[in-house]
Amino acid sequence: MRTDSGYQVEIAIPFASLRFPDSDQQSWRIDFRRVRPRDTYMQYAWSAVDRNQQCYPCQFGTISGIENVNPGRGIELLPAFVGYRTGERLSSESFQEHDPKGSMSLTGKYTTTSDITIEAAINPDFSQIESDAGQIDVNSTVALLYPERRPFFNEGSDIFQTLFNSFYTRTVADPSFAAKITGRLPKTRFGLLSAVDENSPYLIPVGEFSLPTLNSGRSYVNVLRGTQTLGSGSQIGLMLTDRRFRHDGSGNILSGDYVLRLGQKYVIDGQYLMSHTAEMNEPTLTERFNGITFDHGKYTVDFDGESYWGTAFIQRIGRYSEHWNLTLDYNQVSPSYRTHTGYDPVNDHRSSSIYGSVTARPKGGIIETFQPGGFVFRRFNFDGDRLNETNALNCFVGFRFAQSSIFMAYRDIFESFAGYDIDGLYTLVGQFSARPHSRLSTSVEVYSGTAVTHFLPVPEKANELTAVLGLNFKPIDRLTIESNTTYYSISDRAADTAYFDGYISRARIQYQFAKELSIRLVAQYDDFGRVWSVDPLLTYRLSPFSVFYAGSTMDYQDWPDLPNDPNSPSAWRLAQRQFFLKLQYLFQV
């Protein structure tokens, strides 16, 4: 509502959707923020915010005098039905359609008190409605990391976060059952998650690289996490993870962590971990690795029933303020450390780094923020051999027009890989982003320099170029177009020939017919694999959890060995396809 001095906004949030103590009178810590994207991206806060104070919740305002309100309690049931039909082209022969299939699932939530919630899911449909964006891994030595999009795992996920990624929820790939208990007491937070995973990924780190992820069949996952607040922003935490594989294999992590705030600007935090691995006795799953050994030949990567312990820890000291920041970091992971519920793709290293930056905010002129900085990174293995040295300088500049900014960096790098030392590597980084209009934003990133060819039998120095172009466009209020293209090239310096050269381009188009009804199309082309993916989706949403979906996923591939078809001279053919319907409705008791 417009007023003489501006406008007023009224927001209605049902008390049943909030969790708070059940008492006659309430005092809440709260803050309200308004984002004002114009030439400069600005935020307005209800309570004063001090950039020298790193604990943001500690600066919330207080609302008193809240009376006669009750927190949300009761039972929520979310049944869902999924029907689908798949098809695939197994060779150059005709496309094969499979019979239609369907499944039912049930997810339930019970709020026992305002502080404790129990959730469980039977035969849950944890599939993602939108596929992951493609990533380029042609010169990567480690498994890729993808964001979690499934609501069951996202809700309350901050409880399970630690400095090491000790619980990466996407390692629970295909659960037939899952349950979770989360609680928030005045100074204590805890979470317990259990799941039965029917298709369990198994990541094997071996020094400076990780072997391809295996599907090890069914496993049982349990994760326990708790934290205790010790004052203004300080806390201690404990995590225990357990994964039981078929054929008596298992993996465990015991972790302790802490955050100690020394005044407003200084923070010391760390995490200490111990792992135990008992391998499955299933050599056929690892026979393609040809008996690779680790930890001075004590163990093999083969699933031959070996058992071993490992350790890891990280220690950081930081100073964070409005004008200058400094972080000192040391972490190490032993050769026999392995996590079966997290993401730690490399081991056998001791790493240290120093990062610092200075921030200036001029009162006038076109520059809003000027932030030069740099970092020094060193990595050795447990034998003391040098693996990586990186020295970098960078600078960020934010401008007072079009929400624009630039980032520039220079990195001088030494890398040792597979026993070969390669010096004189470098990377030049340039990034630019802007929002010249309320309906248009763009970003450009360029990484140019030299790199090690990890894919060759004898690694060597090669020219490397990565370029990323992002463009978001809203031609009308109901239509949004988001696009992103990543180009990558790595080439022989002497012969000037490309080892790999290609791109991945992705576009996401969404049209909102009404509040409840929308249609979305995601199209992606992977030039490396010569694969087109086209995913249309129709959504009818009664509420955030009561939704009807109808869509498909289609992959088109270049089949050069197909016989010429006079009606279709192109070699592009449908490789995989799935039609699906999903209906879920939330019942609140």
Side-chain angles (χ1 to χ4, degrees):
M1 180 177 64
R2 292 181 178 272
T3 66
D4 294 338
S5 59
Y7 64 88
Q8 295 178 350
V9 176
E10 181 178 307
I11 302 173
I13 303 176
F15 288 115
S17 66
L18 302 177
R19 297 168 64 179
F20 51 87
D22 188 4
S23 56
D24 294 336
Q25 295 197 8
Q26 308 275 334
S27 291
W28 293 358
R29 299 292 300 276
I30 196 170
D31 192 25
F32 300 95
R33 285 200 171 193
R34 178 202 169 196
V35 175
R36 181 178 178 267
R38 298 292 187 272
D39 287 342
T40 299
Y41 184 88
M42 301 184 68
Q43 296 184 64
Y44 301 88
W46 177 59
S47 58
V49 177
D50 183 357
R51 288 193 177 100
N52 290 314
Q53 167 63 276
Q54 297 307 303
C55 179
Y56 172 60
C58 301
Q59 304 179 67
F60 284 2
T62 302
I63 296 180
S64 301
I66 302 174
E67 300 179 353
N68 301 320
V69 295
N70 298 312
R73 292 184 183 178
I75 299 175
E76 294 181 359
L77 297 176
L78 184 65
F81 170 76
V82 179
Y84 59 93
R85 185 178 188 183
T86 61
E88 58 187 335
R89 187 184 300 276
L90 300 177
S91 64
S92 59
E93 303 300 325
S94 61
F95 191 83
Q96 179 181 354
E97 294 277 8
H98 300 294
D99 293 334
K101 295 182 179 180
S103 63
M104 295 287 296
S105 67
L106 178 63
T107 302
K109 178 187 292 187
Y110 176 51
T111 305
T112 60
T113 68
S114 61
D115 302 311
I116 299 175
T117 299
I118 302 173
E119 299 176 68
I122 302 172
N123 190 30
D125 173 50
F126 282 160
S127 61
Q128 295 178 206
I129 295 300
E130 184 168 321
S131 61
D132 293 308
Q135 299 186 39
I136 298 173
D137 64 349
V138 294
N139 197 36
S140 175
T141 62
V142 300
L144 299 178
L145 182 70
Y146 289 96
E148 180 61 85
R149 300 178 185 274
R150 299 169 295 182
F152 181 90
F153 290 110
N154 272 327
E155 186 175 353
S157 61
D158 59 316
I159 296 176
F160 297 96
Q161 292 177 355
T162 57
L163 292 176
F164 278 96
N165 200 343
S166 302
F167 182 41
Y168 174 41
T169 53
R170 291 196 62 160
T171 61
V172 184
D174 183 21
S176 58
F177 172 79
K180 180 172 60 175
I181 303 175
T182 57
R184 301 169 185 263
L185 304 177
K187 292 188 176 182
T188 304
R189 301 178 65 200
F190 64 89
L192 172 63
L193 186 144
S194 297
V196 180
D197 194 359
E198 300 298 335
N199 297 285
S200 309
Y202 196 111
L203 180 65
I204 304 177
V206 185
E208 54 206 349
F209 62 94
S210 57
L211 298 176
T213 304
L214 302 170
N215 181 357
S216 56
R218 174 178 288 185
S219 68
Y220 302 87
V221 179
N222 293 282
V223 180
L224 175 65
R225 169 70 169 160
T227 62
Q228 179 71 29
T229 301
L230 301 177
S232 180
S234 297
Q235 71 173 37
I236 57 173
L238 178 72
M239 175 177 279
L240 176 64
T241 73
D242 176 80
R243 190 163 204 156
R244 301 283 161 171
F245 297 92
R246 60 176 182 170
H247 304 292
D248 298 325
S250 66
N252 305 94
I253 294 288
L254 176 62
S255 164
D257 58 275
Y258 75 96
V259 177
L260 179 61
R261 296 194 179 275
L262 305 175
Q264 294 184 350
K265 302 178 182 179
Y266 295 92
V267 178
I268 301 176
D269 59 357
Q271 184 180 4
Y272 302 82
L273 308 98
M274 179 180 297
S275 72
H276 179 262
T277 299
E279 293 177 342
M280 294 178 285
N281 192 6
E282 189 73 8
T284 56
L285 290 176
T286 53
E287 58 186 5
R288 57 181 168 140
F289 299 140
N290 298 319
I292 296 174
T293 64
F294 60 95
D295 199 6
H296 299 95
K298 294 180 183 177
Y299 312 105
T300 69
V301 300
D302 297 336
F303 287 170
D304 51 10
E306 292 177 320
S307 179
Y308 41 86
W309 294 83
T311 59
F313 80 85
I314 181 172
Q315 181 64 65
R316 301 191 309 184
I317 301 174
R319 182 195 190 275
Y320 308 103
S321 67
E322 179 177 2
H323 297 295
W324 68 275
N325 302 315
L326 182 67
T327 302
L328 286 74
D329 181 307
Y330 176 83
N331 65 85
Q332 68 176 44
V333 180
S334 73
S336 56
Y337 176 85
R338 187 176 297 179
T339 173
H340 302 83
T341 57
Y343 179 80
D344 293 306
V346 296
N347 56 14
D348 190 12
H349 70 82
R350 292 185 170 101
S351 304
S352 60
S353 64
I354 301 175
Y355 174 81
S357 65
V358 178
T359 303
R361 295 181 173 86
K363 296 297 184 182
I366 64 172
I367 296 179
E368 179 187 43
T369 305
F370 179 72
Q371 188 178 68
F375 69 89
V376 176
F377 175 81
R378 298 291 184 267
R379 172 166 286 181
F380 298 82
N381 63 19
F382 269 57
D383 289 333
D385 300 323
R386 210 172 34 149
L387 299 179
N388 187 288
E389 290 185 0
T390 301
N391 304 300
L393 294 173
N394 55 63
C395 184
F396 171 84
V397 183
F399 299 99
R400 287 192 172 93
F401 60 88
Q403 293 183 42
S404 56
S405 65
I406 60 173
F407 175 82
M408 301 168 290
Y410 172 77
R411 300 166 186 166
D412 178 74
I413 305 167
F414 162 84
E415 183 177 343
S416 178
F417 184 76
Y420 294 88
D421 294 345
I422 301 179
D423 207 346
L425 302 170
Y426 74 93
T427 301
L428 292 170
V429 181
Q431 300 175 355
F432 170 79
S433 65
R435 189 182 180 93
H437 192 274
S438 61
R439 298 185 181 274
L440 177 66
S441 65
T442 185
S443 63
V444 180
E445 303 176 30
V446 178
Y447 305 81
S448 177
T450 55
V452 176
T453 54
H454 300 123
F455 48 84
L456 293 180
V458 178
E460 61 184 41
K461 185 189 301 186
N463 293 325
E464 185 179 51
L465 173 66
T466 302
V468 183
L469 173 63
L471 182 65
N472 296 337
F473 182 44
K474 192 173 183 178
I476 57 177
D477 289 341
R478 296 176 181 269
L479 179 63
T480 303
I481 302 172
E482 302 171 349
S483 65
N484 179 277
T485 299
T486 301
Y487 169 82
Y488 177 79
S489 172
I490 185 166
S491 58
D492 188 313
R493 289 169 58 85
D496 196 26
T497 57
Y499 297 114
F500 294 98
D501 182 89
Y503 62 93
I504 295 178
S505 187
R506 181 182 178 92
R508 185 181 189 276
I509 304 171
Q510 179 163 326
Y511 186 82
Q512 197 78 32
F513 293 98
K515 177 182 177 182
E516 300 84 4
L517 182 64
S518 66
I519 189 170
R520 184 223 66 196
L521 175 68
V522 175
Q524 177 174 285
Y525 177 65
D526 185 344
D527 186 53
F528 294 94
R530 292 188 61 77
V531 175
W532 270 101
S533 299
V534 182
D535 303 342
L537 178 72
L538 179 71
T539 302
Y540 186 78
R541 189 183 303 273
L542 293 175
S543 70
F545 292 99
S546 298
V547 191
F548 170 74
Y549 298 104
S552 69
T553 60
M554 295 174 284
D555 292 343
Y556 294 85
Q557 188 172 336
D558 188 2
W559 293 76
D561 59 336
L562 284 177
N564 290 329
D565 183 348
N567 298 320
S568 178
S570 171
W572 288 97
R573 296 291 188 274
L574 182 63
Q576 296 183 38
R577 180 179 62 201
Q578 176 180 245
F579 296 110
F580 65 89
L581 299 172
K582 179 177 180 179
L583 174 63
Q584 61 182 42
Y585 190 87
L586 178 65
F587 295 90
Q588 294 179 305
V589 181

